[in-house]
Amino acid sequence: MMNNNRRRPRVLISGGGTGGHIFPALSIANALRRRLDAEILFVGASDRMEMERVPAAGYKIVGLPVAGFDRRRLWRNFSVILKLFKSMRIARRVVRDFKPDIAIGVGGYASGPTLKAAQKAGIPTLLQEQNSYAGVTNKMLAAGAQAICVAYGGMERFFPADKIVMTGNPIRKDLLEQRHDQRKARESFGLSADRATVLITGGSLGALTLNESLEAGLKRLSEAGVQVIWQTGKNFGDRGQQAAKGLKGVVVTPFLTDMAAAYAAANLVVARAGAGTISELELLAKPCILVPSPNVAEDHQTKNAQALAEQDAAIMVADADARGCLIDEILRLAGDRQKLEAMRTNISSLALHDSDEKIADRVESIIKAGLPATSKS
């Protein structure tokens, strides 16, 4: 708690669009509220999931009408440019009215206008880059930032070396705090406690490639004695349930309410290669097959997956190849205890712990360097 002769520090946090941006942002906010009693305001994209997730976590948020550029259909970008200019005006007004002591960018469409407005107003900024290949927005903002918190080595390729802080990516606290016994976790899903179990997840919306690969090969896994927890996401309808009819050892659900239990039950995870997912797998020491999404900017999921595969910490399967070989890879790994144990050791060695606290440390030092002892007018 701050001393009584100081006003509460004000922190502006911007970004979102996906859980991979929102969960780290909320973790940072929670750490700053806990340590500094900070007054926190979020800025997100008005049509993205942060507009629901952030208020649900107890924080105020302002929405910007910002959108990403359509690189394939350039003629559609006229409206995108108009939205960008409107977002810049709103961001300048937010910075002027809120008067933050620091602005934090976690990536996503909204972080560009917001952080640029803060920098032009002389507000210190901190960037959090989750991926092994830096995004365009963070590269553009780097020169004006006080610090850039990263999760991978070699980021001096993109950012000034003297501004880089190795912190890792914050993850959801409940995954670490709600530790489940593997046998009990499997039983909670109605599965056998003693059989190999694979978790397949493409996130809340689902991943079509993963889902169609499982749909075609689920019977092979069941017949081989491999248990499956399959999160299809909400966009796959009842196709997963239809594929699982009559099969033993298969749990199909659009959404997992207890992700900690699902991770605990699995001795192998199949997932996309978003930075947040990878950080969870590292901290939980989960052997994994990563199928990078091809539909992300700068193909950063492939680069994330390669960073692990090069250290024998994960198996990477290209999205284009998954329908043909993913089931074979699952069957091969599920029965190879020696390989799984080696992967567990390797991925665990990459984990960076207490990332939210490390980022909060740097935020606090920047605030203290510029925050006066008495209230500002």
Coordinates of all heavy atoms in Angstrom, one line a residue, residues 145-232:
A145 N 9.6 3.8 -25.6 CA 9.2 3.1 -24.3 C 10.4 3.1 -23.3 O 11.6 3.2 -23.7 CB 8.9 1.6 -24.6
Q146 N 10.0 3.1 -22.1 CA 11.0 3.0 -21.0 C 11.5 1.6 -20.8 O 12.7 1.4 -20.4 CB 10.4 3.6 -19.7 CG 10.6 5.1 -19.5 CD 9.8 5.8 -20.6 OE1 8.7 5.5 -21.0 NE2 10.5 6.9 -21.1
A147 N 10.7 0.6 -21.0 CA 11.1 -0.8 -20.8 C 10.2 -1.7 -21.7 O 9.1 -1.3 -22.0 CB 10.9 -1.2 -19.3
I148 N 10.8 -2.8 -22.1 CA 10.1 -3.8 -22.9 C 10.3 -5.1 -22.3 O 11.4 -5.7 -22.2 CB 10.6 -3.8 -24.4 CG1 10.6 -2.4 -25.0 CG2 9.9 -4.8 -25.2 CD1 11.5 -2.2 -26.2
C149 N 9.2 -5.7 -21.8 CA 9.2 -7.0 -21.1 C 9.0 -8.1 -22.1 O 8.0 -8.1 -22.8 CB 8.2 -7.0 -19.9 SG 8.5 -5.7 -18.7
V150 N 9.9 -9.1 -22.1 CA 9.8 -10.1 -23.1 C 9.8 -11.5 -22.4 O 10.1 -11.7 -21.2 CB 11.0 -10.0 -24.1 CG1 10.9 -8.6 -24.8 CG2 12.3 -10.3 -23.4
A151 N 9.5 -12.5 -23.3 CA 9.5 -13.9 -22.8 C 10.5 -14.8 -23.5 O 10.6 -16.0 -23.1 CB 8.1 -14.5 -22.9
Y152 N 11.2 -14.3 -24.4 CA 12.1 -15.1 -25.2 C 13.4 -14.4 -25.3 O 13.5 -13.2 -25.3 CB 11.6 -15.4 -26.6 CG 10.4 -16.3 -26.7 CD1 9.1 -15.7 -26.6 CD2 10.5 -17.7 -26.8 CE1 7.9 -16.5 -26.6 CE2 9.3 -18.5 -26.9 CZ 8.1 -17.9 -26.8 OH 7.0 -18.7 -26.8
G153 N 14.5 -15.2 -25.5 CA 15.8 -14.6 -25.7 C 15.9 -14.1 -27.2 O 15.1 -14.4 -28.0
G154 N 17.0 -13.4 -27.4 CA 17.2 -12.9 -28.8 C 16.3 -11.8 -29.3 O 16.3 -11.4 -30.4
M155 N 15.6 -11.1 -28.3 CA 14.7 -10.0 -28.8 C 15.4 -8.7 -29.1 O 14.7 -7.8 -29.6 CB 13.6 -9.8 -27.7 CG 12.8 -11.1 -27.4 SD 11.9 -11.7 -28.8 CE 10.6 -10.4 -29.0
E156 N 16.7 -8.7 -28.9 CA 17.4 -7.5 -29.4 C 17.4 -7.4 -30.9 O 17.8 -6.3 -31.5 CB 18.8 -7.5 -28.8 CG 19.7 -8.7 -29.3 CD 19.5 -9.9 -28.4 OE1 18.7 -9.8 -27.5 OE2 20.2 -10.9 -28.7
R157 N 16.9 -8.4 -31.6 CA 16.7 -8.3 -33.0 C 15.7 -7.3 -33.3 O 15.7 -6.7 -34.4 CB 16.2 -9.7 -33.6 CG 17.2 -10.8 -33.5 CD 16.6 -12.1 -34.0 NE 15.5 -12.5 -33.1 CZ 14.5 -13.3 -33.5 NH1 14.4 -13.7 -34.7 NH2 13.6 -13.7 -32.6
F158 N 14.8 -7.0 -32.4 CA 13.6 -6.2 -32.6 C 13.6 -4.9 -31.8 O 13.1 -3.9 -32.2 CB 12.3 -6.9 -32.3 CG 12.2 -8.2 -33.0 CD1 12.3 -9.4 -32.2 CD2 12.0 -8.4 -34.3 CE1 12.2 -10.7 -32.8 CE2 11.9 -9.6 -35.0 CZ 12.0 -10.7 -34.2
F159 N 14.3 -5.0 -30.6 CA 14.2 -3.9 -29.7 C 15.5 -3.4 -29.2 O 16.5 -4.2 -29.2 CB 13.4 -4.3 -28.4 CG 12.0 -4.8 -28.7 CD1 11.6 -6.1 -28.2 CD2 11.1 -4.1 -29.5 CE1 10.3 -6.5 -28.5 CE2 9.8 -4.6 -29.7 CZ 9.4 -5.8 -29.2
P160 N 15.7 -2.1 -28.7 CA 16.9 -1.7 -28.1 C 17.3 -2.6 -26.9 O 16.5 -2.8 -26.0 CB 16.6 -0.3 -27.6 CG 15.4 0.2 -28.5 CD 14.6 -1.1 -28.7
A161 N 18.5 -3.1 -27.0 CA 18.9 -4.1 -26.0 C 18.8 -3.6 -24.5 O 18.5 -4.3 -23.6 CB 20.3 -4.6 -26.3
D162 N 19.1 -2.3 -24.4 CA 19.1 -1.7 -23.0 C 17.7 -1.5 -22.4 O 17.6 -1.2 -21.2 CB 19.9 -0.4 -23.0 CG 19.3 0.7 -23.9 OD1 18.5 0.3 -24.8 OD2 19.5 1.9 -23.7
K163 N 16.7 -1.7 -23.2 CA 15.3 -1.6 -22.7 C 14.7 -2.9 -22.4 O 13.6 -3.0 -21.8 CB 14.5 -0.8 -23.7 CG 14.9 0.6 -23.9 CD 14.0 1.4 -24.9 CE 14.4 2.8 -25.0 NZ 13.4 3.6 -25.8
I164 N 15.3 -4.0 -22.8 CA 14.7 -5.3 -22.7 C 14.8 -5.9 -21.3 O 15.9 -5.8 -20.7 CB 15.4 -6.3 -23.7 CG1 15.0 -5.9 -25.1 CG2 14.9 -7.7 -23.4 CD1 15.8 -6.7 -26.2
V165 N 13.7 -6.4 -20.8 CA 13.7 -7.0 -19.5 C 13.1 -8.4 -19.7 O 11.9 -8.6 -20.2 CB 12.8 -6.2 -18.4 CG1 12.9 -6.9 -17.1 CG2 13.2 -4.8 -18.4
M166 N 13.8 -9.5 -19.3 CA 13.3 -10.8 -19.4 C 12.4 -11.1 -18.2 O 12.8 -11.3 -17.1 CB 14.5 -11.8 -19.5 CG 14.0 -13.3 -19.6 SD 13.3 -13.6 -21.2 CE 14.7 -13.7 -22.3
T167 N 11.1 -11.2 -18.5 CA 10.1 -11.5 -17.4 C 9.3 -12.7 -17.6 O 8.8 -13.3 -16.7 CB 9.1 -10.3 -17.3 OG1 8.4 -10.2 -18.5 CG2 9.9 -9.0 -17.0
G168 N 9.1 -13.1 -18.9 CA 8.2 -14.2 -19.2 C 6.8 -13.6 -19.3 O 6.6 -12.4 -19.2
N169 N 5.8 -14.5 -19.6 CA 4.4 -14.1 -19.8 C 3.6 -14.4 -18.6 O 3.6 -15.6 -18.2 CB 3.8 -14.7 -21.0 CG 4.4 -14.2 -22.3 OD1 4.6 -13.0 -22.5 ND2 4.6 -15.1 -23.3
P170 N 2.9 -13.5 -18.0 CA 2.0 -13.8 -16.9 C 0.9 -14.8 -17.3 O 0.4 -14.6 -18.5 CB 1.4 -12.5 -16.5 CG 2.3 -11.4 -17.0 CD 2.9 -12.0 -18.3
I171 N 0.5 -15.7 -16.5 CA -0.6 -16.6 -16.8 C -1.6 -16.5 -15.7 O -1.4 -15.9 -14.7 CB -0.1 -18.1 -17.0 CG1 0.3 -18.7 -15.6 CG2 1.1 -18.2 -18.0 CD1 0.5 -20.2 -15.7
R172 N -2.8 -17.2 -16.0 CA -3.8 -17.2 -15.0 C -3.4 -17.9 -13.7 O -2.9 -19.0 -13.7 CB -5.0 -18.0 -15.6 CG -5.7 -17.3 -16.8 CD -6.7 -18.2 -17.5 NE -6.0 -19.2 -18.3 CZ -6.6 -20.1 -19.1 NH1 -7.9 -20.1 -19.1 NH2 -5.9 -20.9 -19.8
K173 N -3.5 -17.2 -12.6 CA -3.1 -17.6 -11.3 C -3.7 -19.0 -10.9 O -3.1 -19.8 -10.2 CB -3.3 -16.6 -10.2 CG -2.4 -15.4 -10.2 CD -1.0 -15.8 -9.7 CE -0.2 -14.5 -9.5 NZ 1.2 -14.9 -9.0
D174 N -5.0 -19.2 -11.3 CA -5.7 -20.4 -10.8 C -5.0 -21.6 -11.4 O -5.1 -22.7 -10.7 CB -7.2 -20.3 -11.3 CG -7.3 -20.3 -12.8 OD1 -6.8 -19.3 -13.4 OD2 -7.9 -21.2 -13.3
L175 N -4.3 -21.5 -12.5 CA -3.7 -22.7 -13.0 C -2.5 -23.2 -12.1 O -2.3 -24.4 -12.1 CB -3.1 -22.4 -14.5 CG -4.2 -22.1 -15.5 CD1 -3.5 -21.9 -16.9 CD2 -5.2 -23.2 -15.6
L176 N -1.9 -22.3 -11.5 CA -0.8 -22.6 -10.6 C -1.3 -22.9 -9.2 O -0.7 -23.7 -8.4 CB 0.2 -21.5 -10.6 CG 0.9 -21.2 -11.9 CD1 1.9 -20.0 -11.8 CD2 1.7 -22.5 -12.4
E177 N -2.3 -22.2 -8.8 CA -2.8 -22.3 -7.4 C -3.7 -23.5 -7.1 O -3.7 -24.1 -6.1 CB -3.6 -21.0 -7.0 CG -2.7 -19.8 -6.9 CD -3.4 -18.5 -6.8 OE1 -4.7 -18.5 -6.9 OE2 -2.8 -17.4 -6.5
Q178 N -4.4 -23.9 -8.2 CA -5.3 -25.0 -8.0 C -4.7 -26.3 -8.6 O -5.0 -26.9 -9.6 CB -6.6 -24.8 -8.8 CG -7.4 -23.6 -8.3 CD -8.7 -23.3 -9.1 OE1 -9.2 -24.1 -9.8 NE2 -9.2 -22.1 -9.0
R179 N -3.7 -26.8 -7.9 CA -3.0 -28.0 -8.3 C -3.8 -29.2 -8.0 O -4.3 -29.4 -6.9 CB -1.6 -28.1 -7.5 CG -0.6 -27.0 -7.8 CD 0.0 -27.3 -9.2 NE 1.1 -26.3 -9.5 CZ 1.9 -26.5 -10.5 NH1 1.9 -27.6 -11.2 NH2 2.9 -25.6 -10.7
H180 N -4.0 -30.0 -9.0 CA -4.8 -31.2 -8.9 C -3.9 -32.5 -9.0 O -3.0 -32.5 -9.8 CB -5.8 -31.3 -10.1 CG -6.9 -30.2 -10.0 ND1 -8.1 -30.4 -9.5 CD2 -6.8 -28.9 -10.5 CE1 -8.8 -29.3 -9.6 NE2 -8.1 -28.4 -10.2
D181 N -4.3 -33.5 -8.2 CA -3.7 -34.8 -8.3 C -4.1 -35.4 -9.7 O -5.3 -35.3 -10.0 CB -4.1 -35.7 -7.2 CG -3.7 -37.1 -7.3 OD1 -2.5 -37.4 -7.0 OD2 -4.5 -37.9 -7.8
Q182 N -3.2 -36.0 -10.4 CA -3.5 -36.5 -11.7 C -4.6 -37.5 -11.7 O -5.6 -37.5 -12.5 CB -2.3 -37.0 -12.5 CG -2.6 -37.4 -13.9 CD -1.3 -37.8 -14.7 OE1 -0.9 -38.9 -14.5 NE2 -0.8 -36.9 -15.5
R183 N -4.6 -38.5 -10.8 CA -5.6 -39.5 -10.8 C -6.9 -38.9 -10.5 O -7.9 -39.3 -11.1 CB -5.2 -40.5 -9.7 CG -3.9 -41.3 -10.0 CD -3.6 -42.3 -8.8 NE -4.6 -43.3 -8.6 CZ -4.7 -44.4 -9.3 NH1 -3.7 -44.7 -10.2 NH2 -5.6 -45.3 -9.0
K184 N -7.0 -38.0 -9.5 CA -8.3 -37.4 -9.1 C -8.8 -36.5 -10.3 O -10.0 -36.5 -10.5 CB -8.2 -36.6 -7.8 CG -7.9 -37.5 -6.6 CD -7.8 -36.7 -5.3 CE -7.6 -37.6 -4.1 NZ -7.5 -36.8 -2.9
A185 N -7.9 -35.9 -11.0 CA -8.3 -35.0 -12.1 C -8.9 -35.8 -13.2 O -10.0 -35.5 -13.7 CB -7.1 -34.2 -12.6
R186 N -8.3 -37.0 -13.5 CA -8.9 -37.9 -14.5 C -10.3 -38.4 -14.1 O -11.2 -38.4 -14.9 CB -8.0 -39.0 -14.8 CG -6.7 -38.6 -15.6 CD -5.7 -39.7 -15.8 NE -4.6 -39.3 -16.5 CZ -3.5 -40.0 -16.7 NH1 -3.4 -41.2 -16.2 NH2 -2.5 -39.5 -17.4
E187 N -10.4 -38.8 -12.8 CA -11.6 -39.3 -12.3 C -12.7 -38.2 -12.4 O -13.9 -38.5 -12.6 CB -11.4 -39.8 -10.9 CG -10.6 -41.1 -10.9 CD -10.2 -41.6 -9.5 OE1 -10.5 -40.8 -8.5 OE2 -9.7 -42.7 -9.3
S188 N -12.3 -37.0 -12.2 CA -13.3 -35.9 -12.2 C -14.0 -35.7 -13.6 O -15.1 -35.2 -13.7 CB -12.7 -34.5 -11.8 OG -11.8 -34.0 -12.8
F189 N -13.3 -36.2 -14.6 CA -13.8 -36.2 -16.0 C -14.5 -37.5 -16.3 O -14.9 -37.7 -17.5 CB -12.7 -35.9 -17.0 CG -12.3 -34.5 -17.0 CD1 -11.1 -34.0 -16.3 CD2 -13.0 -33.5 -17.7 CE1 -10.7 -32.7 -16.3 CE2 -12.6 -32.2 -17.8 CZ -11.5 -31.8 -17.1
G190 N -14.5 -38.4 -15.4 CA -15.1 -39.7 -15.6 C -14.2 -40.7 -16.4 O -14.7 -41.6 -17.0
L191 N -12.9 -40.4 -16.3 CA -11.9 -41.2 -17.0 C -11.2 -42.1 -16.1 O -11.1 -41.9 -14.9 CB -10.9 -40.3 -17.7 CG -11.5 -39.3 -18.8 CD1 -10.4 -38.4 -19.3 CD2 -12.1 -40.1 -19.9
S192 N -10.5 -43.1 -16.7 CA -9.7 -44.1 -15.9 C -8.5 -43.4 -15.3 O -7.9 -42.6 -16.0 CB -9.3 -45.3 -16.7 OG -8.3 -46.0 -16.1
A193 N -8.2 -43.6 -14.1 CA -7.0 -43.0 -13.5 C -5.7 -43.5 -14.0 O -4.7 -42.8 -13.8 CB -7.1 -43.2 -12.0
D194 N -5.7 -44.6 -14.7 CA -4.4 -45.3 -15.0 C -4.1 -45.2 -16.5 O -3.0 -45.8 -16.9 CB -4.4 -46.7 -14.6 CG -4.6 -46.8 -13.0 OD1 -4.0 -46.1 -12.3 OD2 -5.4 -47.7 -12.6
R195 N -4.9 -44.6 -17.3 CA -4.6 -44.7 -18.8 C -4.1 -43.3 -19.3 O -4.4 -42.3 -18.8 CB -5.9 -45.0 -19.5 CG -6.3 -46.5 -19.3 CD -7.7 -46.8 -19.8 NE -7.9 -46.4 -21.2 CZ -9.1 -46.4 -21.9 NH1 -10.2 -46.7 -21.2 NH2 -9.1 -46.0 -23.1
A196 N -3.2 -43.4 -20.3 CA -2.7 -42.2 -20.9 C -3.8 -41.3 -21.4 O -4.8 -41.8 -22.0 CB -1.8 -42.6 -22.1
T197 N -3.7 -40.0 -21.2 CA -4.7 -39.1 -21.5 C -4.2 -37.9 -22.2 O -3.2 -37.3 -21.8 CB -5.4 -38.6 -20.2 OG1 -5.9 -39.7 -19.4 CG2 -6.5 -37.6 -20.4
V198 N -4.8 -37.5 -23.3 CA -4.4 -36.3 -24.1 C -5.5 -35.3 -24.0 O -6.6 -35.6 -24.1 CB -4.1 -36.8 -25.5 CG1 -5.3 -37.4 -26.2 CG2 -3.6 -35.6 -26.3
L199 N -5.0 -34.0 -23.8 CA -5.9 -32.9 -23.9 C -5.7 -32.2 -25.2 O -4.6 -31.8 -25.6 CB -5.6 -31.9 -22.7 CG -6.1 -30.5 -22.8 CD1 -7.7 -30.6 -22.7 CD2 -5.6 -29.6 -21.6
I200 N -6.8 -31.9 -25.9 CA -6.8 -31.2 -27.2 C -7.6 -29.9 -27.0 O -8.8 -30.0 -26.7 CB -7.3 -32.0 -28.3 CG1 -6.5 -33.3 -28.6 CG2 -7.3 -31.2 -29.6 CD1 -7.0 -34.5 -27.9
T201 N -7.0 -28.8 -27.2 CA -7.7 -27.5 -27.0 C -7.3 -26.5 -28.0 O -6.1 -26.3 -28.3 CB -7.4 -26.9 -25.6 OG1 -8.0 -25.7 -25.5 CG2 -6.0 -26.8 -25.2
G202 N -8.3 -25.9 -28.6 CA -8.0 -24.8 -29.5 C -8.6 -23.5 -29.0 O -8.7 -22.5 -29.8
G203 N -8.8 -23.4 -27.7 CA -9.3 -22.1 -27.1 C -10.8 -22.1 -27.2 O -11.5 -23.0 -27.6
S204 N -11.3 -20.9 -26.7 CA -12.8 -20.8 -26.5 C -13.6 -20.8 -27.8 O -14.7 -21.2 -27.8 CB -13.1 -19.5 -25.8 OG -12.6 -18.4 -26.5
L205 N -12.9 -20.4 -28.9 CA -13.6 -20.4 -30.2 C -13.4 -21.7 -30.9 O -14.1 -22.1 -31.8 CB -13.1 -19.3 -31.1 CG -13.4 -17.9 -30.6 CD1 -12.9 -16.8 -31.6 CD2 -14.9 -17.6 -30.4
G206 N -12.3 -22.4 -30.5 CA -11.9 -23.7 -31.2 C -11.0 -23.4 -32.3 O -10.7 -22.3 -32.7
A207 N -10.4 -24.5 -32.8 CA -9.4 -24.4 -34.0 C -9.9 -25.5 -35.0 O -9.9 -26.7 -34.7 CB -8.0 -24.7 -33.5
L208 N -10.3 -25.1 -36.1 CA -10.9 -26.0 -37.1 C -10.0 -27.1 -37.5 O -10.4 -28.3 -37.6 CB -11.4 -25.2 -38.3 CG -12.2 -26.0 -39.4 CD1 -13.5 -26.6 -38.7 CD2 -12.5 -25.2 -40.6
T209 N -8.7 -26.8 -37.7 CA -7.8 -27.9 -38.0 C -7.7 -29.0 -37.0 O -7.7 -30.2 -37.2 CB -6.4 -27.3 -38.3 OG1 -6.5 -26.4 -39.4 CG2 -5.4 -28.4 -38.7
L210 N -7.5 -28.6 -35.7 CA -7.5 -29.5 -34.6 C -8.8 -30.3 -34.5 O -8.8 -31.5 -34.4 CB -7.2 -28.8 -33.3 CG -5.9 -28.0 -33.1 CD1 -5.8 -27.5 -31.7 CD2 -4.7 -28.9 -33.5
N211 N -9.9 -29.6 -34.6 CA -11.2 -30.3 -34.5 C -11.4 -31.3 -35.6 O -11.9 -32.4 -35.3 CB -12.3 -29.2 -34.5 CG -12.4 -28.5 -33.1 OD1 -11.9 -29.0 -32.1 ND2 -13.0 -27.3 -33.2
E212 N -11.1 -30.9 -36.8 CA -11.4 -31.9 -37.9 C -10.4 -33.0 -37.9 O -10.8 -34.2 -38.3 CB -11.3 -31.1 -39.2 CG -12.5 -30.2 -39.4 CD -12.6 -29.6 -40.8 OE1 -11.6 -29.6 -41.5 OE2 -13.7 -29.1 -41.2
S213 N -9.2 -32.8 -37.4 CA -8.2 -33.9 -37.2 C -8.7 -34.9 -36.2 O -8.6 -36.1 -36.4 CB -6.9 -33.3 -36.8 OG -6.3 -32.5 -37.8
L214 N -9.3 -34.4 -35.1 CA -9.8 -35.3 -34.0 C -11.1 -36.0 -34.5 O -11.3 -37.1 -34.2 CB -10.0 -34.5 -32.8 CG -8.9 -34.5 -31.7 CD1 -8.8 -35.9 -31.1 CD2 -7.6 -34.1 -32.3
E215 N -11.9 -35.2 -35.2 CA -13.1 -35.8 -35.7 C -12.9 -37.0 -36.5 O -13.5 -38.1 -36.4 CB -13.9 -34.7 -36.5 CG -15.3 -35.2 -37.0 CD -15.9 -34.0 -37.8 OE1 -15.2 -33.4 -38.6 OE2 -17.1 -33.8 -37.6
A216 N -11.8 -36.9 -37.4 CA -11.5 -38.0 -38.3 C -10.8 -39.2 -37.6 O -10.9 -40.4 -38.0 CB -10.7 -37.5 -39.5
G217 N -10.0 -38.9 -36.5 CA -9.2 -39.9 -35.9 C -9.5 -40.3 -34.5 O -8.8 -41.1 -33.9
L218 N -10.6 -39.8 -34.0 CA -11.0 -40.1 -32.6 C -11.1 -41.6 -32.3 O -10.7 -42.1 -31.3 CB -12.3 -39.3 -32.2 CG -12.6 -39.2 -30.8 CD1 -11.5 -38.5 -30.0 CD2 -14.0 -38.5 -30.6
K219 N -11.7 -42.3 -33.2 CA -11.9 -43.7 -33.0 C -10.6 -44.5 -32.9 O -10.5 -45.4 -32.1 CB -12.8 -44.3 -34.2 CG -13.1 -45.8 -34.0 CD -14.0 -46.3 -35.2 CE -14.4 -47.7 -35.0 NZ -15.2 -48.2 -36.1
R220 N -9.6 -44.1 -33.7 CA -8.3 -44.7 -33.6 C -7.7 -44.5 -32.2 O -7.1 -45.4 -31.6 CB -7.3 -44.1 -34.6 CG -7.6 -44.5 -36.1 CD -6.6 -43.9 -37.0 NE -5.3 -44.3 -36.7 CZ -4.2 -43.6 -37.1 NH1 -4.3 -42.5 -37.8 NH2 -3.0 -44.1 -36.8
L221 N -7.8 -43.3 -31.7 CA -7.3 -43.0 -30.3 C -8.0 -43.9 -29.3 O -7.4 -44.5 -28.4 CB -7.4 -41.5 -30.0 CG -6.6 -40.6 -30.8 CD1 -6.9 -39.1 -30.4 CD2 -5.1 -40.8 -30.7
S222 N -9.3 -43.9 -29.4 CA -10.1 -44.7 -28.4 C -9.7 -46.2 -28.5 O -9.5 -46.8 -27.4 CB -11.6 -44.5 -28.6 OG -12.4 -45.3 -27.7
E223 N -9.6 -46.7 -29.7 CA -9.3 -48.1 -29.8 C -7.9 -48.5 -29.4 O -7.6 -49.6 -29.0 CB -9.5 -48.5 -31.3 CG -11.0 -48.6 -31.7 CD -11.1 -48.9 -33.2 OE1 -10.1 -48.8 -34.0 OE2 -12.3 -49.2 -33.6
A224 N -7.0 -47.5 -29.4 CA -5.6 -47.7 -28.9 C -5.5 -47.5 -27.4 O -4.4 -47.7 -26.8 CB -4.7 -46.7 -29.6
G225 N -6.6 -47.2 -26.7 CA -6.6 -47.0 -25.3 C -6.2 -45.7 -24.8 O -5.9 -45.5 -23.6
V226 N -6.1 -44.7 -25.7 CA -5.7 -43.3 -25.3 C -7.0 -42.5 -25.0 O -7.9 -42.4 -25.8 CB -4.9 -42.6 -26.5 CG1 -4.6 -41.2 -26.1 CG2 -3.7 -43.4 -26.8
Q227 N -7.0 -42.0 -23.8 CA -8.2 -41.2 -23.3 C -8.0 -39.8 -23.9 O -6.9 -39.3 -24.1 CB -8.3 -41.2 -21.8 CG -8.5 -42.6 -21.2 CD -8.7 -42.5 -19.7 OE1 -9.6 -43.2 -19.2 NE2 -7.9 -41.8 -19.0
V228 N -9.1 -39.2 -24.1 CA -9.1 -37.8 -24.8 C -10.1 -36.9 -24.0 O -11.2 -37.2 -23.7 CB -9.6 -37.9 -26.2 CG1 -9.7 -36.6 -26.9 CG2 -8.7 -38.8 -27.0
I229 N -9.5 -35.7 -23.7 CA -10.3 -34.6 -23.3 C -10.2 -33.6 -24.4 O -9.2 -33.0 -24.7 CB -9.8 -33.9 -22.0 CG1 -9.8 -35.0 -20.8 CG2 -10.6 -32.7 -21.6 CD1 -9.1 -34.5 -19.6
W230 N -11.4 -33.3 -25.1 CA -11.4 -32.5 -26.3 C -12.2 -31.3 -26.1 O -13.5 -31.4 -26.0 CB -11.9 -33.4 -27.4 CG -12.0 -32.8 -28.8 CD1 -11.5 -31.6 -29.2 CD2 -12.7 -33.3 -29.9 NE1 -11.9 -31.3 -30.5 CE2 -12.6 -32.4 -31.0 CE3 -13.4 -34.5 -30.1 CZ2 -13.2 -32.6 -32.2 CZ3 -14.0 -34.7 -31.4 CH2 -13.9 -33.8 -32.4
Q231 N -11.6 -30.1 -26.1 CA -12.3 -28.9 -26.0 C -12.5 -28.4 -27.5 O -11.5 -28.0 -28.1 CB -11.6 -27.8 -25.2 CG -12.4 -26.5 -25.2 CD -11.5 -25.4 -24.6 OE1 -10.4 -25.5 -24.3 NE2 -12.2 -24.2 -24.4
T232 N -13.7 -28.4 -27.9 CA -14.0 -28.1 -29.4 C -14.1 -26.6 -29.6 O -13.9 -26.1 -30.7 CB -15.3 -28.8 -29.8 OG1 -16.4 -28.2 -29.1 CG2 -15.2 -30.3 -29.7

